[in-house]
Amino acid sequence: MNDFNYLSDHLSCEEVPVETIAREAGTPFYLYSHRTLRRHFRIFDSAFAEVPHIVCFAVKANSNTAILRIFVREGGGVDLVSGGELYRALKAGVDPGKIVYSGVGKREDEIDFALRTGILMFNVESDQELEKINTRAQILGVRAGIGLRVNPDVDPQTHPHISTGLRENKFGINIEASLTAYRRAAGLKHLDIKGVSCHIGSQVTKLSPFIDALARLKELILQLRKEGIAIRYLDLGGGLGITYDRETPPHPSEYARAIIDAAREIDCTFIFEPGRVIVGNAGILVTRVLYTKENEGKRFIIVDAGMNDLVRPSLYGSFHHIQPVIRRKREEIVADVVGPICESGDFLAKGRKLPAFEQGELLAVMSAGAYGFSMSSNYNSRPRAPEILVRDDRWYVIRKRETWEDLDRGEEIPEWMDI
Ligand code: LLP
């Protein structure tokens, strides 16, 4: 459920017509509903009310500080993968005690930043990283909270580019090897072993992969406890899928029920790292039709948003519904919706049955709140789109549209190139 609805055929976000915003802000732009964001967070959080838990929103899905602040106000933490994300999280006011830091390639300066901040734990992805964190903690005179990111070798049955829990992926430490790695970690004086973590993939639409992974982690936790290694946190990562088209993922309450039931004997604080399920359907990308044309019998709708604004269709062949901002009865056509970028891979929809959109018309690319703006770029020297948040009947620019001056910021022409 989300708060993008037609009110007498005008697409609105909460109580604000999308057209009103487009008139003032120009296109393209990202648009988020505060009500949807907060509701999605609350649904996920309350689904686990009966067990101790922390919902650590995956910053990579949507990194805007105002959006992070919404979750902070709801008591949420964050899952990070870089120093830049930590910087953003602190600006948003996240409690360091609710920060987990994942990622296979943490740099020394990033580790130091996280150690100085006093985050809850690093999800460590290799033996060498364990050593590195231990050394840095010693140098800084602190103890580092850690968990190992274990690769449980389960098939999340999702797109191969976003599946992460299989043995052949670069992520985590194989579950067999993890026991040895924990023993080694237990001997490193500047580490405080707190947890076990895993993340099996993204846009997972079945429960069984999560439950399989949990069963493997549970065995590991019980074994570690036998050896005197006290595991207090169980981080199950993110990955719960959403409906883009016809997918029928489990509701967060079903996901929670299944996990709580399967984890009965392990007395741990749960950590979750949801991204998409919170923000995916809470945001859209609004774009305007620049031109329509026909080439060799193929119809194209050329819009002012490109793969630099939303790369998911080009990168993964992802499906996003495309709807008119002002709805009316008209004939349907089959067309490609393409952007202005000079690449044939620059499309938002291919061979899609759509209303015969017209030049100048506003379109809404749905379900764009996750991995939309956060994966956008300046390719073709296109300033990045603004991000706008609606709350009730008001809207707020939470990130300005970039300008041409933003494009060459930091660039310098060496003196000897004088003309
Ligand atoms: N935790 C870790 C360690 C992750 O790597 C990810 C996502 C998440 C949590 C959040 O997963 P979510 O709940 O959003 O599924 N760009 C791709 C998705 C890549 C996901 C990467 N990791 C896309 O646009 O579909």
Side-chain angles (χ1 to χ4, degrees):
M1 201 171 111
N2 60 59
D3 294 275
F4 297 94
N5 296 302
Y6 285 96
L7 304 177
S8 28
D9 288 332
H10 284 59
L11 185 68
S12 298
C13 177
E14 302 189 14
E15 279 76 69
V16 183
V18 173
E19 191 193 6
T20 308
I21 303 173
R23 211 176 301 130
E24 274 189 57
T27 51
F29 61 93
Y30 275 92
L31 182 62
Y32 309 107
S33 157
H34 176 266
R35 197 178 293 158
T36 312
L37 288 163
R38 198 174 59 179
R39 185 177 55 243
H40 285 180
F41 186 92
R42 287 183 178 173
I43 287 173
F44 196 97
D45 192 36
S46 60
F48 290 98
E50 66 188 86
V51 292
H53 71 277
I54 313 173
V55 177
C56 293
F57 174 71
V59 175
K60 63 174 86 67
N62 191 315
S63 320
N64 187 289
T65 45
I67 291 193
L68 300 180
R69 175 67 64 89
I70 296 172
F71 308 138
V72 170
R73 285 161 56 107
E74 296 295 313
V78 290
D79 160 55
L80 313 166
V81 287
S82 71
E85 287 190 350
L86 176 53
Y87 168 83
R88 284 178 172 283
L90 294 178
K91 280 229 158 159
V94 179
D95 171 358
K98 293 181 180 174
I99 297 179
V100 292
Y101 186 173
S102 314
V104 290
K106 303 178 187 77
R107 263 188 346 234
E108 197 168 280
D109 61 308
E110 294 176 309
I111 292 171
D112 286 1
F113 182 20
L115 286 171
R116 286 203 187 93
T117 303
I119 65 165
L120 175 63
M121 68 176 186
F122 292 86
N123 287 334
V124 179
E125 305 218 15
S126 65
D127 285 334
Q128 289 184 359
E129 191 192 325
L130 263 184
E131 301 284 345
K132 172 67 82 182
I133 293 174
N134 184 56
T135 310
R136 297 312 302 171
Q138 174 173 25
I139 290 168
L140 297 182
V142 294
R143 278 189 94 204
I146 64 119
L148 293 189
R149 172 158 173 194
V150 171
N151 187 335
D153 195 27
V154 301
D155 182 0
Q157 301 164 42
T158 181
H159 192 289
H161 287 178
I162 51 179
S163 110
T164 42
L166 278 171
R167 195 184 298 272
E168 62 262 31
N169 289 130
K170 70 174 174 176
F171 298 100
I173 299 177
N174 284 342
I175 191 139
E176 299 82 15
S178 65
L179 205 53
T180 322
Y182 269 108
R183 288 178 190 137
R184 187 170 314 122
L188 296 173
K189 280 209 298 266
H190 306 281
L191 300 184
D192 174 13
I193 300 178
K194 289 186 172 168
V196 172
S197 79
C198 80
H199 169 77
I200 57 171
S202 200
Q203 184 54 13
V204 180
T205 52
K206 295 199 177 111
L207 282 178
S208 56
F210 292 112
I211 302 305
D212 292 352
L214 173 58
R216 289 182 196 173
L217 259 50
K218 192 164 137 183
E219 255 175 66
L220 175 66
I221 291 174
L222 297 178
Q223 180 63 32
L224 289 170
R225 285 192 181 148
K226 258 192 228 154
E227 300 192 14
I229 300 176
I231 298 294
R232 289 157 283 159
Y233 292 91
L234 171 54
D235 179 345
L236 287 173
L240 189 58
I242 62 169
T243 304
Y244 284 99
D245 187 15
R246 282 179 230 280
E247 305 89 335
T248 51
H251 187 270
S253 60
E254 296 170 63
Y255 167 79
R257 187 74 269 142
I259 288 173
I260 295 168
D261 288 347
R264 287 249 174 259
E265 306 92 277
I266 10 177
D267 174 30
C268 272
T269 296
F270 286 97
I271 294 174
F272 298 97
E273 304 170 358
R276 191 188 317 266
V277 69
I278 309 281
V279 293
N281 280 321
I284 65 174
L285 172 64
V286 180
T287 181
R288 198 179 280 282
V289 178
L290 294 173
Y291 308 103
T292 63
K293 71 172 180 183
E294 210 173 307
N295 267 357
E296 302 286 329
K298 223 181 134 136
R299 303 182 71 156
F300 292 95
I301 295 160
I302 302 155
V303 297
D304 67 1
M307 64 190 285
N308 73 296
D309 298 299
L310 180 66
V311 76
R312 303 191 70 255
S314 309
L315 200 53
Y316 315 118
S318 310
F319 181 96
H320 289 263
H321 273 294
I322 299 182
Q323 301 176 1
V325 167
I326 299 171
R327 197 164 61 174
R328 62 187 160 81
K329 275 215 161 58
R330 55 184 134 174
E331 63 154 331
E332 286 211 316
I333 58 165
V334 173
D336 285 9
V337 179
V338 301
I341 301 268
C342 299
E343 301 246 3
S344 30
D346 176 28
F347 62 90
L348 296 174
K350 270 218 153 139
R352 182 83 59 84
K353 203 169 178 192
L354 292 165
F357 294 135
E358 284 171 10
Q359 185 176 27
E361 181 167 0
L362 288 170
L363 305 182
V365 183
M366 306 307 287
S367 312
Y371 307 104
F373 185 87
S374 67
M375 290 178 82
S376 67
S377 77
N378 290 123
Y379 188 39
N380 276 204
S381 287
R382 288 167 47 82
R384 274 180 297 174
E387 293 179 286
I388 293 170
L389 178 71
V390 167
R391 187 180 182 199
D392 301 328
D393 57 357
R394 299 196 58 182
W395 55 281
Y396 306 85
V397 177
I398 56 171
R399 184 186 165 103
K400 286 191 196 131
R401 184 183 303 285
E402 288 181 349
T403 63
W404 286 337
E405 288 73 37
D406 289 324
L407 292 175
D408 69 342
R409 173 155 311 136
E411 289 179 21
E412 264 179 66
I413 301 176
E415 236 173 80
W416 55 266
M417 285 184 188
D418 266 3
I419 41 173

